[in-house]
Amino acid sequence: MSRIWFGRGVSNHAQLLPWIRSHEASRNWRLLVSHFDRYAPCLDEGDECWLEEKELYGDDYVDYALHSCKEHEVLVFIPGREFIALSQRVQEFEAIGVKILLPASTQTLITIQNKNLFYRQIEDLPLRGPAFEEFGSVEELDRCFEAMESRFAKLCVKPAVGIYAAGFRVIKESINPFENFFEPHPFWIERNDLRSILAHQESFATMLLMEFLEGDEYSVDCFGTQTGELFMTPRCKRYGGQSLNAPQEVLDGVRTLAHHFGMKGLFNVQLKHQEGITRTIEINPRMSGGIAMTRFAGFNFPVAAIAEALGESIELPQPTLGAQIIRRENYTLRQRDVL
């Protein structure tokens, strides 16, 4: 049995593992999963599972991953975090017979993690990023406002390096406290409040003042083969549901991005599209949190990646787009005690 380990990352493994098992290629695979939270649903889905230490970063996490691969006789490791640190020590995994799934080189991973570097690299591509200015102090923020406020109707702020929505805010000149009390907007902030908060630090890690991108949000899950083929399933997030579809210019632009950065394996691209204009938000060096929804397009992304890593030949059908997706939640009894 080939042993496949899914390290802790986004919270989608509870949906991924049954999807993988639905494919006949998985009959000779044993799926291992780990997480620091003993109540994480994914721990119930793994053929084997264990609890990770929570506060491990950089080389400490890589050391832990190497030890876990040896202890659990892992053949394929699919990480969900610390991609740059792992990429710098790939040879150590290869030396113990482990194939680690990373979609790009160390330098590319550094570039796509740092949004300022990333946006500069793609400014001449069809799907460039938003206009932005960098700042690391309140004084620099004021200069950025002077440069941008007359050019764009709405601005936002986010860290150059960050995950999820940490540090992201849409900037408003004023917010009505009474209205916001009853209908709160957690990602809004008044300009003066932003200055006041940031003034608590004389300087801080690079942040970006950016044009705020309106329109539909697209998440495009991708698998790039080692021979250069690219399989994509887009999701449009709209009105509480999702549609597995996107304008052709979005798909063509993602293909250009993937080629430009030499992306292979599993990755995800986030974009905004409105009235024929598309902007790239980010490339994630992993599967998206919502990738399980793409199963309705008929292409099994994790199975394709695992099979390629193991050197197994399987049919790779082109995704069929157009499905409309809604979400339903259910609850179930825990099947095992996680110590």
Side-chain angles (χ1 to χ4, degrees), residues 100-161:
I100 179 171
L101 299 193
L102 296 169
S105 67
T106 299
Q107 186 54 56
T108 294
L109 292 171
I110 291 171
T111 297
I112 64 178
Q113 177 177 278
N114 290 265
K115 298 299 184 294
N116 48 343
L117 303 179
F118 175 59
Y119 292 152
R120 286 199 189 95
Q121 276 235 3
I122 65 173
E123 59 187 5
D124 294 325
L125 297 184
L127 302 188
R128 67 172 179 83
F132 73 96
E133 296 283 345
E134 300 177 39
F135 65 95
S137 68
V138 173
E139 291 74 20
E140 291 177 359
L141 172 62
D142 290 337
R143 289 195 288 271
C144 292
F145 270 119
E146 290 178 8
M148 297 191 71
E149 60 186 345
S150 63
R151 297 165 52 202
F152 302 101
K154 192 179 293 186
L155 297 172
C156 61
V157 64
K158 70 183 298 184
V161 177

Side-chain angles (χ1 to χ4, degrees), residues 63-240:
D63 290 341
Y64 162 79
L66 285 163
H67 174 78
S68 295
C69 285
K70 292 176 184 176
E71 180 180 3
H72 297 281
E73 300 178 322
V74 171
L75 281 182
V76 177
F77 173 33
I78 304 176
R81 54 193 292 265
E82 297 297 326
F83 302 102
I84 293 173
L86 289 165
S87 73
Q88 293 169 331
R89 296 173 61 182
V90 168
Q91 291 182 337
E92 294 179 53
F93 288 90
E94 293 175 343
I96 59 173
V98 176
K99 179 71 173 181
I100 179 171
L101 299 193
L102 296 169
S105 67
T106 299
Q107 186 54 56
T108 294
L109 292 171
I110 291 171
T111 297
I112 64 178
Q113 177 177 278
N114 290 265
K115 298 299 184 294
N116 48 343
L117 303 179
F118 175 59
Y119 292 152
R120 286 199 189 95
Q121 276 235 3
I122 65 173
E123 59 187 5
D124 294 325
L125 297 184
L127 302 188
R128 67 172 179 83
F132 73 96
E133 296 283 345
E134 300 177 39
F135 65 95
S137 68
V138 173
E139 291 74 20
E140 291 177 359
L141 172 62
D142 290 337
R143 289 195 288 271
C144 292
F145 270 119
E146 290 178 8
M148 297 191 71
E149 60 186 345
S150 63
R151 297 165 52 202
F152 302 101
K154 192 179 293 186
L155 297 172
C156 61
V157 64
K158 70 183 298 184
V161 177
I163 60 171
Y164 310 124
F168 170 79
R169 295 293 186 275
V170 178
I171 301 168
K172 312 286 286 187
E173 283 301 319
S174 64
I175 298 173
N176 185 306
F178 184 84
E179 293 177 359
N180 198 55
F181 180 79
F182 288 99
E183 294 186 33
H185 296 275
F187 293 112
W188 286 7
I189 190 169
E190 286 192 7
R191 177 171 171 173
N192 288 336
D193 288 342
L194 174 64
R195 294 186 76 262
S196 176
I197 291 169
L198 296 180
H200 284 276
Q201 296 288 335
E202 184 175 335
S203 63
F204 37 80
T206 300
M207 298 189 70
L208 308 181
L209 183 68
M210 308 187 304
E211 63 170 315
F212 178 72
L213 301 173
E214 305 277 5
D216 293 328
E217 181 177 349
Y218 286 90
S219 176
V220 184
D221 283 297
C222 304
F223 171 64
T225 70
Q226 295 302 313
T227 57
E229 290 184 274
L230 181 64
F231 297 85
M232 299 179 285
T233 298
R235 290 180 288 119
C236 178
K237 305 176 182 181
R238 186 188 298 165
Y239 309 129

Side-chain angles (χ1 to χ4, degrees), residues 23 53 93 161 241 278 320:
H23 196 288
E53 291 186 47
F93 288 90
V161 177
T278 305
T320 302

Side-chain angles (χ1 to χ4, degrees), residues 44 212 296 338:
D44 231 32
F212 178 72
F296 297 107
V338 181

